[in-house]
Amino acid sequence: MIVATNPIEMPTTVERKMPPVLELIRGNIVKYGNPLALNGSEVSSWAKELKLPKTGNLLFYTGGEYQLLPYIDSLVKTMTVMDPNSAGFSMLMGVRNIVEKTGIAPEKIYASVLASDKERFNQVSLKAARILQSLGYDLCYSGDEELYSGALLYELGYWDDFATYAQKVTKVLKGTQAKTIVCLSPHAAEVIKIMYPKFGVHHDLEVKTFVELVWEQRHKLPKIAAQQSVVIHDSCRLARDLGVTEEIREILDAMGVEFKEPMRNRAWTTCCGGPNKFMFPELSHTIAERRVGELQDTGADLILTSCPYCLSSLQGAIAKKDQHGIADLIEFLYKGIVG
């Protein structure tokens, strides 16, 4: 019998730590109801002038996603460029007791200072509400009681937290007495409509996206003369998980807007890279640049999307000179409907 004198060593298990930004976001969602620990009045400030009732048949649900996204982007940038072994990072993590004493999370301070385009994203919710009102919808809104949907908890794998948190959100939703909820973000629509029930959290709400409600009243949409040629970027959540693709195209048809299609569209759309940004920000940016290239290869002047994460991710990949080359469908419709 031959005994090997130099047996092959079994590979050792490498323990990898999750990026600190994920734990910060997880903790904030669980404790404060949104990824950045903003209070409800800050997230809902966009709606003050509308004076929407808190109860009604149709609940307008932002989940704070458009409002919060620029802050999240800035937080990710801050955390990824900061050395985890540096004094600055230790200070950021070490002063979390500020939350207990003042209610202000340190990462919120960083993000607030560095956030860009926050006014633009905050206005998207206001424009969406006005569009729906112009189409005859009576909206209610839970105001400063509105909670983030918890989509990131599910998408990042914090499933136990997600199941518990979904119950808190559902309680607020039921408190509005609504029969239908319209979600601005397809991420929120997916988790509330599909994932909540799968995790044992049930509700009687009919869940629809903003796109679907506009589509249902597309005969009321005015014709507009688009100054730019348009190309549609289908978001993964909207197209693949919710099956909403033709509605966007029929909305544009109803308004007399000609549009172009990238090679990869509808359920075969290319990802914007947004879901990767928390763990692999450089890879996320590379994917976004590739998708922007595919969309710009159509020769269109304006990229249209219907997801806050897609809007943010693709905008970050567009050259600075072309920053006006992308818009959310909400922004595009608002110009045509409200002016």
Side-chain angles (χ1 to χ4, degrees), residues 85-147:
N85 299 313
S86 69
F89 185 84
S90 297
M91 181 189 71
L92 177 63
M93 300 302 291
V95 297
R96 286 194 59 77
N97 60 358
I98 291 177
V99 174
E100 305 300 331
K101 295 179 180 180
T102 67
I104 302 176
E107 63 269 18
K108 172 187 166 183
I109 297 174
Y110 269 78
S112 296
V113 171
L114 300 176
S116 63
D117 295 329
K118 57 185 178 182
E119 181 62 23
R120 174 188 181 182
F121 280 82
N122 197 52
Q123 285 291 307
V124 172
S125 294
L126 177 61
K127 292 176 179 178
R130 284 179 167 167
I131 290 169
L132 293 179
Q133 288 178 326
S134 74
L135 294 176
Y137 291 106
D138 292 323
L139 308 173
C140 69
Y141 175 57
S142 51
D144 56 8
E145 296 177 13
E146 182 182 63
L147 297 176

Side-chain angles (χ1 to χ4, degrees), residues 18-167:
M18 297 292 280
V21 67
L22 299 189
E23 183 56 30
L24 292 178
I25 289 174
R26 184 205 67 82
N28 283 339
I29 294 173
V30 171
K31 189 168 184 179
Y32 299 102
N34 64 71
L36 263 296
L38 297 176
N39 62 50
S41 61
E42 291 175 294
V43 177
S44 64
S45 62
W46 65 269
K48 285 184 178 179
E49 62 187 82
L50 294 181
K51 299 183 180 352
L52 297 174
K54 287 196 172 184
T55 60
N57 290 326
L58 178 59
L59 175 62
F60 185 81
Y61 181 78
T62 75
E65 291 194 55
Y66 279 97
Q67 303 97 298
L68 288 167
L69 201 60
Y71 294 90
I72 293 176
D73 285 345
S74 293
L75 173 60
V76 171
K77 290 177 184 178
T78 300
M79 301 296 285
T80 52
V81 300
M82 188 178 291
D83 181 359
N85 299 313
S86 69
F89 185 84
S90 297
M91 181 189 71
L92 177 63
M93 300 302 291
V95 297
R96 286 194 59 77
N97 60 358
I98 291 177
V99 174
E100 305 300 331
K101 295 179 180 180
T102 67
I104 302 176
E107 63 269 18
K108 172 187 166 183
I109 297 174
Y110 269 78
S112 296
V113 171
L114 300 176
S116 63
D117 295 329
K118 57 185 178 182
E119 181 62 23
R120 174 188 181 182
F121 280 82
N122 197 52
Q123 285 291 307
V124 172
S125 294
L126 177 61
K127 292 176 179 178
R130 284 179 167 167
I131 290 169
L132 293 179
Q133 288 178 326
S134 74
L135 294 176
Y137 291 106
D138 292 323
L139 308 173
C140 69
Y141 175 57
S142 51
D144 56 8
E145 296 177 13
E146 182 182 63
L147 297 176
Y148 170 68
S149 69
L152 284 173
L153 292 177
Y154 168 70
E155 292 168 4
L156 296 175
Y158 295 109
W159 287 3
D160 289 340
D161 290 323
F162 174 72
T164 301
Y165 182 76
Q167 294 176 10

Side-chain angles (χ1 to χ4, degrees), residues 270-271 285-295 317:
T270 300
C271 179
H285 187 71
T286 298
I287 293 173
E289 286 184 323
R290 183 182 67 177
R291 181 53 172 170
V292 166
E294 293 175 354
L295 295 164

Side-chain angles (χ1 to χ4, degrees), residues 105-309:
E107 63 269 18
K108 172 187 166 183
I109 297 174
Y110 269 78
S112 296
V113 171
L114 300 176
S116 63
D117 295 329
K118 57 185 178 182
E119 181 62 23
R120 174 188 181 182
F121 280 82
N122 197 52
Q123 285 291 307
V124 172
S125 294
L126 177 61
K127 292 176 179 178
R130 284 179 167 167
I131 290 169
L132 293 179
Q133 288 178 326
S134 74
L135 294 176
Y137 291 106
D138 292 323
L139 308 173
C140 69
Y141 175 57
S142 51
D144 56 8
E145 296 177 13
E146 182 182 63
L147 297 176
Y148 170 68
S149 69
L152 284 173
L153 292 177
Y154 168 70
E155 292 168 4
L156 296 175
Y158 295 109
W159 287 3
D160 289 340
D161 290 323
F162 174 72
T164 301
Y165 182 76
Q167 294 176 10
K168 292 172 58 178
V169 179
T170 300
K171 183 177 180 180
V172 175
L173 298 181
K174 289 182 176 180
T176 66
Q177 301 175 31
K179 296 179 180 178
T180 303
I181 176 174
V182 52
C183 298
L184 294 194
S185 167
H187 289 255
E190 181 211 10
V191 296
I192 295 174
K193 182 176 183 177
I194 301 173
M195 302 317 304
Y196 278 20
K198 287 187 176 181
F199 278 76
V201 181
H202 300 283
H203 54 76
D204 297 324
L205 288 163
E206 180 182 18
V207 181
K208 293 190 175 183
T209 63
F210 170 83
V211 172
E212 290 172 293
L213 282 195
V214 173
W215 174 80
E216 289 174 7
Q217 297 296 324
R218 63 191 181 282
H219 60 281
K220 295 182 180 179
L221 295 171
K223 299 290 184 180
I224 63 173
Q227 300 297 317
Q228 300 169 297
S229 56
V230 171
V231 59
I232 298 172
H233 165 71
D234 294 286
S235 81
C236 293
R237 291 288 181 269
L238 197 62
R240 296 195 181 107
D241 298 314
L242 298 170
V244 177
T245 57
E246 301 314 303
E247 290 86 343
I248 297 174
R249 290 152 176 84
E250 291 179 12
I251 287 171
L252 295 179
D253 282 337
M255 300 183 79
V257 177
E258 295 185 4
F259 55 88
K260 299 181 179 182
E261 299 277 10
M263 181 175 65
R264 297 179 178 87
N265 59 67
R266 295 174 172 82
W268 293 98
T269 184
T270 300
C271 179
C272 71
N276 298 314
K277 70 172 57 180
F278 298 104
M279 297 185 69
F280 309 106
E282 293 183 2
L283 175 61
S284 172
H285 187 71
T286 298
I287 293 173
E289 286 184 323
R290 183 182 67 177
R291 181 53 172 170
V292 166
E294 293 175 354
L295 295 164
Q296 291 181 336
D297 282 346
T298 65
D301 302 310
L302 182 67
I303 298 169
L304 275 187
T305 188
S306 300
C307 171
Y309 294 95

